[in-house]
Amino acid sequence: MLRRLALASAIAFSGLLAAPVIAQDASAAAAATQQTPVQVVQDITNKLDTAIAGQRDKLKNDKEKLIGVIDGVFLPHFDIDYASILVLGQHAREASPEQRSRFAKAFYNSITHRYAEGLLNYTRGRVKVLPFSGDLNDKRSIVRTQVAMDDGKLVSVDYAFRKSSNGDWKAYDVVIEGISYITNYRNQVDAEIKKDGIDKLINTLETQGAKAMDTLERDGKAAQ
């Protein structure tokens, strides 16, 4: 099951966590304000195919370039600062602005480097954006998608959007087969902070990156 979800996880998590520390192109930001959440997700899937097609072999040997591709596609549409506050949960109130900023950046880097290579398996048609149902809610609107696996099975990947203070829609949570990224990592982060403190967690994420995420998830599953 976990192996079958690898591609879906790569697309979902790399999509959700766009770096807050890279300057955003003004024209891209302006375009984002004119899009509905469904249009945002559809735009990302189209741009991802264009960005990866024809250079998979090159990207396999240049991970930093691959990360740059991810940033370029997803950056205008995701709110990592808000997402990281939700992941920190009650600890966000206890953390200083500097700690929150460091955590957001370190958490982003860890997740992106962990799942980036999985995006190289992405091809056009992998993601089907489903029709939106219900009314748009400024605080939480869900865009539902399906990711096709190599075996033909479909994995549900849903994105939660909120309207930012600028009036544009930003994704902040992703739910894979009913499992929320926010809830999943909040529980694990909470346990680590209670055990060792937020500074140690941040330092571990900064120095170990993707390996730290593997340990975090392994410890979380062992505690269940």
Side-chain angles (χ1 to χ4, degrees), residues 13 87-88 107 111 114-115 180-190 213 216-217:
F13 285 115
V87 170
L88 282 172
F107 196 66
I111 289 285
R114 185 183 186 198
Y115 289 103
S180 162
Y181 142 83
I182 294 294
T183 301
N184 183 49
Y185 281 110
R186 182 168 56 214
N187 293 338
Q188 296 167 29
V189 164
D190 175 64
M213 297 308 302
L216 198 63
E217 287 204 343

Side-chain angles (χ1 to χ4, degrees), residues 76-199:
H77 307 294
F78 290 87
D79 192 342
I80 181 56
D81 293 321
Y82 182 68
S84 64
I85 287 175
L86 294 180
V87 170
L88 282 172
Q90 63 181 352
H91 302 290
R93 295 190 297 271
E94 306 163 0
S96 68
E98 189 266 343
Q99 286 174 320
R100 290 195 297 269
S101 177
R102 284 181 60 204
F103 175 81
K105 182 178 179 180
F107 196 66
Y108 154 74
N109 286 332
S110 300
I111 289 285
T112 304
H113 281 74
R114 185 183 186 198
Y115 289 103
E117 292 180 3
L119 281 174
L120 293 175
N121 295 321
Y122 177 85
T123 56
R124 185 178 293 277
R126 284 277 193 177
V127 178
K128 179 181 180 181
V129 182
L130 302 180
F132 185 81
S133 61
D135 299 323
L136 287 175
N137 185 306
D138 289 357
K139 294 184 178 179
R140 184 177 174 87
S141 289
I142 304 296
V143 176
R144 304 190 187 283
T145 75
Q146 292 178 331
V147 179
M149 299 293 100
D150 291 335
D151 59 7
K153 294 182 179 179
L154 299 177
V155 174
S156 297
V157 178
D158 302 333
Y159 292 90
F161 280 78
R162 66 191 287 264
K163 185 171 283 189
S164 71
S165 58
N166 294 328
D168 52 348
W169 289 96
K170 300 282 186 179
Y172 66 90
D173 193 11
V174 61
V175 181
I176 304 176
E177 292 286 88
I179 301 175
S180 162
Y181 142 83
I182 294 294
T183 301
N184 183 49
Y185 281 110
R186 182 168 56 214
N187 293 338
Q188 296 167 29
V189 164
D190 175 64
E192 290 298 312
I193 292 177
K194 286 179 177 177
K195 183 175 69 173
D196 296 317
I198 188 171
D199 282 324

Side-chain angles (χ1 to χ4, degrees), residues 190-211:
D190 175 64
E192 290 298 312
I193 292 177
K194 286 179 177 177
K195 183 175 69 173
D196 296 317
I198 188 171
D199 282 324
K200 183 173 181 180
L201 173 60
I202 293 172
N203 289 335
T204 300
L205 290 172
E206 289 175 335
T207 57
Q208 297 184 21
K211 291 182 179 179

Side-chain angles (χ1 to χ4, degrees), residues 40-111:
V40 168
V41 176
Q42 188 64 66
D43 186 50
I44 287 172
T45 61
N46 292 336
K47 288 182 177 178
L48 185 61
D49 175 74
T50 301
I52 292 177
Q55 57 175 338
R56 281 186 176 81
D57 290 339
K58 183 177 181 179
L59 293 174
K60 284 180 181 179
N61 299 317
D62 191 343
K63 194 165 187 177
E64 291 307 312
K65 183 176 179 62
L66 177 58
I67 296 297
V69 168
I70 294 172
D71 289 342
V73 172
F74 295 113
L75 177 57
H77 307 294
F78 290 87
D79 192 342
I80 181 56
D81 293 321
Y82 182 68
S84 64
I85 287 175
L86 294 180
V87 170
L88 282 172
Q90 63 181 352
H91 302 290
R93 295 190 297 271
E94 306 163 0
S96 68
E98 189 266 343
Q99 286 174 320
R100 290 195 297 269
S101 177
R102 284 181 60 204
F103 175 81
K105 182 178 179 180
F107 196 66
Y108 154 74
N109 286 332
S110 300
I111 289 285

Side-chain angles (χ1 to χ4, degrees), residues 28-42:
T33 64
Q34 301 170 5
Q35 294 177 314
T36 66
V38 169
Q39 290 172 330
V40 168
V41 176
Q42 188 64 66

